[in-house]
Amino acid sequence: MSRSLSLRHKLLLLVIPLIAVFMLFNYFVIVAHERDMLREEAKSRAKAIVTVLAAASENAIASLNTHDLQLAADQVKQLKDVDDVAVINREGAVEAGSDIETVGRKLDEPLVTAALTSGQQQEDFNATGSGTLTIVEPVKIGDKTAGAVKIVLSLSHLRAALAASRNYIFALTAVLVVGAVAFMFWLADFFTGPILAVASTARKVAGGDLERKVKVVSSDEIGVLADSINEMSARLRGMIDQERAAREKLQHRVEELLRLAERVSGGELTVPPAPEGTDEMGRLSAGFNDMVRNLRLNMETQRATLYELEESSHALAEANRQLKELDRLKSEFLNTVSHELRTPLTSIKAFSEILLDNDGDDRDTQREFLGIINQESDRLTRLINNLLDLSRIEAGRMQWEMEPIRLREVTDACVNATRALVEKKGLSMTVKVPDDIGTVGDRDKLIQVVTNLISNAVKFTDSGGSITLSGAKIGDELSLSVIDTGRGIPREYHEKVFEKFQQVDTSSTREIKGSGLGLPIVRSIVEAHGGTVKLDSEPGRGSTFTVVIPAADLSHLKTRAVDPAEVLAAVQAAFPQSASAEPPPTEWVEVEKPGESGKNRRILVVDDEPTIMRVMRHILESEGYTVLEAANGMEALARAREERPDLVLLDVLLPDIDGFEVLERMRRDPQTADLPVVVLSILEAKERSFRLGAQDYFNKPIDRGKLVETVQALLGEGNQEIKILVADDDPHILQAVASMLSSRGYRVITARDGLEAVVKAREEIPNLLVLDLYMPEMDGFEVIRKLRAWDQTSHIPILVLTASDIALDEARALTLGAARFMNKPFSENELARMVREALTRVIVSKSAVEKAAEGRGFTVG
Amino acid sequence: MAKKILVADDEPYVLRSIEYTLSKAGYNVVTAVDGEEAYTRINAENPDLVFLDIQMPKMDGNSVCKKLREDPEKKDLYIIVITAKGQESERLFSLECGASEYITKPYSPRKMLERVKEILGE
């Protein structure tokens, strides 16, 4: 059966043939049964007839009364359905019968024969035609078979009855079948109807109509199915609702995320984080949040970088501005210097020429002119000296001769020097300086300071006024004021007067001429002594210049402390315990190292970039080298050949021929083939540089330390060979000094106390000792004494680092061994400079110097 | 009648040397020691030639020069500025301010006199 058929049809197709077959079977069984019944009935009737006839025939046979026999036979023949009757004798011949023609004839029929012989009733059913039943009953007299009676019954009636019955049954069966089929249809509809209804609902549900419910009419399986479907659809509805809610929620989140993403892509990075979670959306949100966070982080980093860039660009701009300002100041300075130099020169030139050309002038005029020439020459000399002083101080090249000195000595010297000036102007001068206050300083420079201040006061004070020098010791400081009763200086000029070539340019100052360098020099010198100078003045009320410098308690110094023995005496008086055991002290002085008259190595720097040149010049000159410049390749070649510098620093990108070609040509020229060359370039050209014969190669920007180290190494003066012993009990200072010195290539040995310093100094014989004065075990003074006492260490120069402002310490240490002093705190450059300077010196006993001075001659430092 | 020359310089010795040289050559020399005095005296004395130092109190030589040139009568006045500054730009500035020419310190009085004679047509 095809699967496509409906259940109803399947049921009908299955049941209807079944009913039909059953009914047919029934029909045939009933018909067969009916027939058998009828046949049996016919048979029993025939038997009854035969039996009656046989009984009736018994006597007749026995008596052979044929008539009776015939009569009986006829009577029987009259009976319904009897077709044939025959009475047969023992021999088988017919005695009487319905068929007259057969009477007397022997009936040769197997049935008859069988009956006669067996004495048993025989029967035969013949279905041909309308059907007959033949029965033969033997007739017995006693036990003997006397004959037989034969009867043939026609079955036509029977057959008709059977046919009628059959028709009836058939009709009944047909009716039943129809009824059954109809019932089946109804039954099929009865069962499939609800199923179809359920199915239809289910289909509708499947089609999306989840509101539809199957009507539950029964509690049977279909009811259960309907219930299940209803439940299923309800569940489905629930699920769909859930799904829809979830989808809406998801959509909401997606939209929100999209909104956020749009804001982010619009540049807004401060959006709130999207809600995170463990589902995909949540993870997506988390990823999004991460992304935004990273983006923000990147942006912030970039912003920071940008900010730094801006900062550094500002710094650069500021540096540039400062450079420009410096440049402006420099050219202004040069202009002023030019003016200041040319003015006296003009008078000198003019009057000398006048004198040369005119010999007719009178003697007085000639003397006047010569006087002017002389005066202006002095002015020029003063100016040049001042200029040199100032630039020396500013460049840190001034050789200070520091010594203990009484303030009164200074002021006395100044008063003497300016007496003529003061008197000439008609001024009075008062000195109020105690005898017992003093400092450690450069005597001549301090005299210069005070003289400058006095002559300044003289210049600005009108005749009849007075000048007062007032000194005092206030705490650790020494104060000296130069007070005048002059016209005073307006407040706005108070700072300006200390600037170079700045003169207070008012009408009344016209006639007062100075170099414009006096006060700047005063300030430079005072600052170099660790002091300050300030001005207190108001127009019309005079001016007071006050110098404040560190004081030293030198009450024991009676006179100028030029004689070390006197200083020593003072020291011994102050420290009797250390001095008592000392033998008469040897005097030690510092002299320039023989054969080391400044290194003065010349380096040719080839670079067309003025700023780079300035930087290189600064670096190299601060290391004590002389810098030769060349701004292009040809100039470089020429200067290298003519001047044969000790080293060439060569840029690659030059305006005419590039650095490689310069290098190549230098190597070909026998004059320059051996000069060490270091290539400096922004290009990565190390290999090429080395191939062409460069000794080293640097990428720009230049690292100062590396450059200096390389230069020193190439010039065979690496600091590696220079041992410096640093002794300080403060580990931080020790560390700082050691690392400053090592970074400059010196080999540094450290000691944490005086004893260790002495031991190490003896072991290592350092080129320099950097010494703290106050240390445990053994103080710095003792260290110096010990070193001086031993031949191998007596020459070692000593740089004393001291945090104390006690000048007495300095005096004592100086006396013990001509040490150099440096006050803490100090800058790295300062330290480097002091170390460099100290390294060019050795310490020898004063007597040795005196002896040597007669012969070859050291220079006393 | 001797030609009149005004010399302005705040340096007394410089002033003295010029005055001496020119007077000796027979010129009538008028002096001034600052810019304002120079301006006033130029207007009062109407000199034939002016020497102006640049760096002077009150009013510098360039300003005096400029101010003089504003007066049409002084348009053709021959003004020599004396500069002690070495820079070319300073000299150019003086010319822009109206100076006829400049001399740089130190100078030779002899050559200066020769130039004066040239200018004054003698």
Side-chain angles (χ1 to χ4, degrees):
Chain A
M1 264 187 282
S2 168
R3 285 162 176 271
S4 61
L5 286 171
S6 72
L7 184 60
R8 185 166 169 264
H9 288 120
K10 282 176 188 168
L11 203 61
L12 289 176
L13 276 175
L14 193 73
V15 171
I16 290 170
L18 216 61
I19 290 172
V21 167
F22 173 71
M23 284 302 176
L24 270 176
F25 177 72
N26 214 24
Y27 166 72
F28 282 117
V29 167
I30 290 170
V31 167
H33 181 66
E34 192 81 3
R35 192 189 59 202
D36 287 352
M37 245 167 53
L38 286 172
R39 199 177 279 175
E40 216 46 53
E41 195 186 298
K43 203 189 277 179
S44 63
R45 197 172 149 223
K47 276 179 183 172
I49 294 167
V50 160
T51 308
V52 169
L53 191 55
S57 304
E58 230 173 278
N59 293 338
I61 285 191
S63 61
L64 288 169
N65 188 348
T66 355
H67 183 274
D68 286 351
L69 282 176
Q70 191 63 44
L71 203 59
D74 284 344
Q75 281 178 336
V76 169
K77 179 69 173 92
Q78 294 304 310
L79 292 171
K80 197 183 162 198
D81 291 337
V82 178
D83 253 9
D84 193 14
V85 186
V87 183
I88 301 154
N89 61 18
R90 205 175 35 195
E91 280 82 25
V94 179
E95 292 295 335
S98 56
D99 191 359
I100 306 303
E101 284 178 20
T102 63
V103 176
R105 283 183 31 208
K106 191 180 178 189
L107 273 180
D108 202 11
E109 286 176 21
L111 215 58
V112 174
T113 312
L116 286 174
T117 54
S118 69
Q120 301 286 313
Q121 192 180 53
Q122 300 293 317
E123 62 178 55
D124 178 42
F125 187 83
N126 185 3
T128 55
S130 57
T132 54
L133 177 68
T134 308
I135 294 175
V136 179
E137 175 76 27
V139 182
K140 290 198 177 150
I141 303 161
D143 290 338
K144 229 172 144 183
T145 304
V149 175
K150 175 191 161 187
I151 191 165
V152 177
L153 275 179
S154 165
L155 295 177
S156 62
H157 278 105
L158 191 74
R159 197 169 290 265
L162 194 59
S165 166
R166 194 159 51 204
N167 285 344
Y168 172 73
I169 291 166
F170 183 77
L172 193 64
T173 305
V175 167
L176 274 173
V177 165
V178 167
V181 165
F183 177 69
M184 279 314 295
F185 268 97
W186 175 82
L187 200 64
D189 279 351
F190 178 76
F191 282 112
T192 59
I195 294 178
L196 283 177
V198 170
S200 147
T201 307
R203 199 176 301 128
K204 279 179 180 145
V205 168
D209 186 359
L210 292 176
E211 294 308 310
R212 192 165 291 269
K213 276 191 164 181
V214 185
K215 215 182 279 169
V216 182
V217 287
S218 61
S219 57
D220 58 6
E221 290 84 344
I222 293 181
V224 171
L225 179 64
D227 266 342
S228 303
I229 285 184
N230 283 342
E231 198 181 317
M232 186 187 78
S233 89
R235 283 252 178 99
L236 212 55
R237 204 160 49 231
M239 276 164 68
I240 285 173
D241 285 349
Q242 264 181 3
E243 187 70 12
R244 186 178 298 142
R247 201 173 55 223
E248 276 168 5
K249 200 172 152 201
L250 186 67
Q251 191 164 353
H252 179 72
R253 287 167 70 186
V254 167
E255 278 167 6
E256 195 179 326
L257 194 61
L258 275 176
R259 258 199 313 278
L260 289 178
E262 271 168 20
R263 283 167 68 185
V264 169
S265 73
E268 192 186 336
L269 288 179
T270 53
V271 295
E276 301 185 3
T278 50
D279 59 348
E280 285 83 350
M281 194 60 211
R283 292 210 299 274
L284 185 62
S285 296
F288 175 78
N289 289 341
D290 277 351
M291 191 187 77
V292 173
R293 214 167 17 249
N294 286 339
L295 211 57
R296 196 158 46 212
L297 216 65
N298 281 347
M299 281 291 274
E300 274 159 15
T301 314
Q302 272 184 9
R303 201 171 295 151
T305 315
L306 211 64
Y307 179 73
E308 277 169 21
L309 269 177
E310 268 172 25
E311 286 277 282
S312 51
S313 116
H314 281 153
L316 266 179
E318 175 58 20
N320 195 27
R321 198 193 58 72
Q322 284 175 355
L323 267 177
K324 274 186 182 157
E325 173 66 10
L326 217 61
D327 205 48
R328 194 188 62 75
L329 284 175
K330 199 183 83 182
S331 66
E332 200 174 88
F333 177 75
L334 282 176
N335 243 330
T336 316
V337 169
S338 166
H339 180 267
E340 296 300 317
L341 290 172
R342 281 169 195 272
T343 300
L345 210 52
T346 304
S347 302
I348 295 167
K349 164 101 183 140
F351 286 109
S352 58
E353 196 178 294
I354 289 167
L355 284 172
L356 282 173
D357 285 357
N358 303 300
D359 42 12
D361 286 321
D362 62 84
R363 224 177 135 71
D364 285 347
T365 312
Q366 284 181 10
R367 282 194 66 83
E368 183 206 340
F369 291 170
L370 282 170
I372 291 173
I373 290 171
N374 190 37
Q375 211 173 314
E376 291 294 272
S377 301
D378 286 346
R379 179 176 164 190
L380 199 55
T381 311
R382 244 188 347 263
L383 180 71
I384 289 170
N385 285 339
N386 283 346
L387 271 176
L388 287 176
D389 271 3
L390 253 187
S391 64
R392 264 196 220 112
I393 296 170
E394 282 176 0
R397 297 237 172 90
M398 179 66 86
Q399 293 284 334
W400 301 98
E401 283 160 30
M402 305 302 253
E403 57 186 342
I405 185 170
R406 287 186 307 127
L407 185 60
R408 189 60 196 247
E409 285 171 37
V410 175
T411 52
D412 285 352
C414 294
V415 169
N416 285 333
T418 56
R419 179 162 291 138
L421 207 65
V422 172
E423 282 171 0
K424 195 174 145 200
K425 191 93 187 265
L427 305 171
S428 64
M429 188 144 75
T430 321
V431 181
K432 297 181 194 162
V433 178
D435 218 22
D436 59 347
I437 59 174
T439 182
V440 170
D442 186 310
R443 187 175 188 276
D444 291 343
K445 294 294 183 291
L446 289 179
I447 289 173
Q448 190 180 354
V449 165
V450 181
T451 309
N452 275 359
L453 290 177
I454 293 173
S455 41
N456 211 54
V458 170
K459 254 190 274 177
F460 291 92
T461 307
D462 293 331
S463 181
S466 71
I467 295 168
T468 310
L469 299 187
S470 170
K473 186 177 173 226
I474 303 160
D476 292 341
E477 286 175 332
L478 212 59
S479 153
L480 177 67
S481 297
V482 178
I483 306 154
D484 67 46
T485 56
R487 64 201 58 172
I489 299 167
R491 188 157 290 277
E492 62 263 35
Y493 292 104
H494 282 197
E495 189 49 36
K496 231 174 174 181
V497 294
F498 293 108
E499 290 172 19
K500 278 169 270 186
F501 299 119
Q502 291 292 339
Q503 301 215 355
V504 182
D505 195 5
T506 63
S507 57
S508 56
T509 65
R510 177 175 58 80
E511 72 274 19
I512 298 158
K513 280 287 164 188
S515 67
L517 292 174
L519 289 175
I521 286 175
V522 164
R523 179 145 82 173
S524 295
I525 293 173
V526 171
E527 283 176 358
H529 280 75
T532 54
V533 56
K534 62 177 202 289
L535 166 62
D536 183 18
S537 177
E538 266 175 58
R541 302 186 61 178
S543 304
T544 302
F545 283 89
T546 305
V547 172
V548 178
I549 50 175
D553 182 8
L554 297 185
S555 50
H556 300 87
L557 293 181
K558 298 280 181 266
T559 56
R560 275 186 62 187
V562 281
D563 185 2
E566 255 178 65
V567 181
L568 190 69
V571 169
Q572 282 168 345
F575 301 90
Q577 74 281 8
S578 67
S580 57
E582 286 295 307
T586 316
E587 285 169 46
W588 300 94
V589 292
E590 200 180 71
V591 302
E592 201 166 273
K593 219 186 244 181
E596 182 93 12
S597 52
K599 54 182 161 186
N600 203 24
R601 308 292 281 261
R602 290 168 314 132
I603 299 179
L604 174 60
V605 179
V606 187
D607 205 312
D608 59 324
E609 192 60 55
T611 51
I612 304 283
M613 187 61 91
R614 257 203 307 278
V615 171
M616 300 286 283
R617 180 178 273 285
H618 175 77
I619 294 175
L620 295 170
E621 282 183 349
S622 70
E623 293 294 325
Y625 296 104
T626 302
V627 173
L628 312 174
E629 293 184 1
N632 59 58
M634 294 314 287
E635 192 186 341
L637 287 171
R639 292 204 80 168
R641 189 182 303 117
E642 286 159 18
E643 306 190 32
R644 287 200 42 85
D646 297 287
L647 180 70
V648 180
L649 297 179
L650 182 61
D651 182 31
V652 170
L653 293 176
L654 295 171
D656 50 352
I657 55 172
D658 70 27
F660 297 122
E661 190 165 350
V662 172
L663 182 54
E664 222 172 343
R665 289 198 200 176
M666 273 177 64
R667 291 293 176 248
R668 276 206 304 268
D669 184 347
Q671 294 277 329
T672 55
D674 60 328
L675 291 183
V677 175
V678 177
V679 174
L680 307 166
S681 177
I682 43 170
L683 303 171
E684 186 56 63
K686 201 169 188 166
E687 220 173 285
R688 191 169 173 198
S689 305
F690 283 127
R691 205 175 52 240
L692 290 172
Q695 267 64 35
D696 211 330
Y697 172 85
F698 276 104
N699 263 121
K700 287 180 183 174
I702 307 294
D703 175 88
R704 182 199 168 114
K706 234 170 92 185
L707 177 70
V708 170
E709 207 173 287
T710 305
V711 166
Q712 286 173 343
L714 285 174
L715 294 177
E717 54 184 18
N719 290 339
Q720 278 307 320
E721 301 310 311
I722 298 173
K723 273 188 279 187
I724 299 179
L725 175 59
V726 183
D728 200 316
D729 59 323
D730 182 333
H732 300 295
I733 294 174
L734 190 63
Q735 163 74 29
V737 173
S739 76
M740 279 180 195
L741 294 174
S742 328
S743 78
R744 288 184 183 251
Y746 297 109
R747 198 149 80 69
V748 179
I749 307 154
T750 58
R752 289 180 187 283
D753 57 55
L755 198 61
E756 193 184 350
V758 172
V759 171
K760 287 200 169 168
R762 288 193 176 190
E763 280 171 4
E764 303 272 355
I765 316 289
N767 301 74
L768 175 69
L769 170 60
V770 178
L771 182 66
D772 181 29
L773 280 185
Y774 293 100
M775 288 184 295
E777 301 294 322
M778 188 187 286
D779 68 16
F781 305 109
E782 190 60 31
V783 172
I784 300 174
R785 251 197 309 275
K786 290 262 191 294
L787 293 187
R788 296 289 173 256
W790 200 54
D791 271 357
Q792 279 89 330
T793 55
S794 66
H795 68 282
I796 297 172
I798 295 168
L799 176 57
V800 171
L801 297 180
T802 174
S804 72
D805 284 332
I806 305 169
L808 195 57
D809 285 344
E810 300 195 6
R812 198 176 156 208
L814 284 165
T815 318
L816 286 169
R820 279 155 185 271
F821 267 83
M822 210 168 154
N823 280 321
K824 300 173 188 172
F826 45 83
S827 77
E828 186 171 345
N829 279 338
E830 232 178 310
L831 176 71
R833 187 173 56 76
M834 292 291 274
V835 164
R836 212 165 43 237
E837 270 179 27
L839 280 168
T840 64
R841 324 292 282 186
V842 288
I843 307 300
V844 294
S845 68
K846 199 173 179 183
S847 54
V849 178
E850 278 157 5
K851 256 181 250 167
E854 293 163 13
R856 293 164 285 114
F858 290 112
T859 324
V860 179
Chain B
M1 170 136 179
K3 294 272 170 96
K4 194 185 276 179
I5 301 174
L6 182 129
V7 183
D9 200 316
D10 61 329
E11 286 286 340
Y13 297 143
V14 175
L15 196 60
R16 171 91 174 91
S17 72
I18 300 175
E19 187 190 7
Y20 178 86
T21 307
L22 296 178
S23 306
K24 199 161 188 202
Y27 292 107
N28 182 4
V29 180
V30 182
T31 60
V33 292
D34 62 54
E36 276 176 14
E37 191 187 357
Y39 182 75
T40 316
R41 297 204 77 173
I42 288 166
N43 280 321
E45 307 268 352
N46 266 321
D48 300 290
L49 177 65
V50 172
F51 279 97
L52 279 179
D53 182 29
I54 287 180
Q55 202 166 322
M56 284 189 295
K58 296 188 184 177
M59 194 195 291
D60 69 34
N62 287 326
S63 302
V64 174
C65 217
K66 222 171 180 173
K67 207 169 167 193
L68 286 171
R69 293 305 185 202
E70 282 167 14
D71 180 359
E73 275 184 36
K74 302 285 180 298
K75 200 158 57 78
D76 296 324
L77 177 63
Y78 209 94
I79 304 173
I80 298 176
V81 292
I82 310 169
T83 172
K85 296 187 178 179
Q87 282 177 339
E88 185 64 25
S89 59
E90 301 282 349
R91 299 170 196 160
L92 285 176
F93 181 69
S94 296
L95 295 181
E96 276 167 27
C97 287
S100 309
E101 67 177 71
Y102 60 82
I103 58 172
T104 308
K105 289 180 183 176
Y107 49 83
S108 154
R110 193 191 313 129
K111 283 183 186 159
M112 189 178 91
L113 184 60
E114 280 165 16
R115 181 73 193 127
V116 168
K117 284 178 177 165
E118 262 175 50
I119 293 163
L120 296 177
E122 286 164 31

